[in-house]
Amino acid sequence: MRRNPVVSEVSDLLVPAILLFGLYVQFHGDFGPGGGFQAGVIFAVGIILYALIHGLEKTRKSIPDNILYVCMALGLLLFAGTGLISMFLDGEFLNYSVLGKTPLAGQHLGILLIELGIGITVAAVLITLFYAFAGRRNK
């Protein structure tokens, strides 16, 4: 397969910007529009663009399946763990008010942790789905 050098160079400029925007959406989500799901999708799109331009094999070497499986589990554990810690601190499940010195600080920390867990899980699942479908061969 012949690679277009212009497309390759433009994607090399765009992928870091897309990933940076995904991080911005992730950490700005509790102050405005955005959050974990949107950030996870944006992050996955950056990785998928890289894979489409540079090849699935090179991308899989950079982000192997095992790393994605760990990220899926880590995101889920972060989400559920935040809720369980709230319960152990005499609050309700996912009631973050008890996580900080003040209810507002607890809410801020809880939302940040929950959204981070969602973002990690969504990005890992979408990249794994892309790997599964892109790696299939027609017989």
Side-chain angles (χ1 to χ4, degrees), residues 6-83:
V6 174
V7 173
S8 181
E9 290 298 321
V10 169
S11 75
D12 287 344
L13 292 173
L14 282 178
V15 168
I18 291 169
L19 298 180
L20 185 63
F21 182 65
L23 290 174
Y24 168 77
V25 170
Q26 174 70 52
F27 292 109
H28 188 264
D30 54 339
F31 296 114
F37 186 84
Q38 294 89 339
V41 170
I42 292 168
F43 205 83
V45 164
I47 301 301
I48 291 168
L49 174 64
Y50 181 85
L52 290 173
I53 301 301
H54 296 287
L56 186 61
E57 295 78 24
K58 185 176 179 181
T59 307
R60 273 196 143 132
K61 286 180 185 174
S62 299
I63 306 173
D65 292 339
N66 292 339
I67 297 292
L68 294 173
Y69 299 151
V70 168
C71 286
M72 282 187 253
L74 178 70
L76 180 61
L77 287 173
L78 189 57
F79 183 91
T82 303

Side-chain angles (χ1 to χ4, degrees), residues 67-129:
I67 297 292
L68 294 173
Y69 299 151
V70 168
C71 286
M72 282 187 253
L74 178 70
L76 180 61
L77 287 173
L78 189 57
F79 183 91
T82 303
L84 291 174
I85 288 172
S86 299
M87 286 176 53
F88 291 136
L89 294 174
D90 293 330
E92 295 88 18
F93 185 74
L94 296 179
N95 179 0
Y96 325 120
S97 299
V98 296
L99 295 177
K101 291 182 180 181
T102 65
L104 185 61
Q107 291 286 328
H108 182 67
L109 177 62
I111 290 291
L112 184 70
L113 293 173
I114 290 294
E115 294 294 336
L116 186 60
I118 293 170
I120 291 170
T121 302
V122 167
V125 167
L126 289 177
I127 295 168
T128 301
L129 285 172

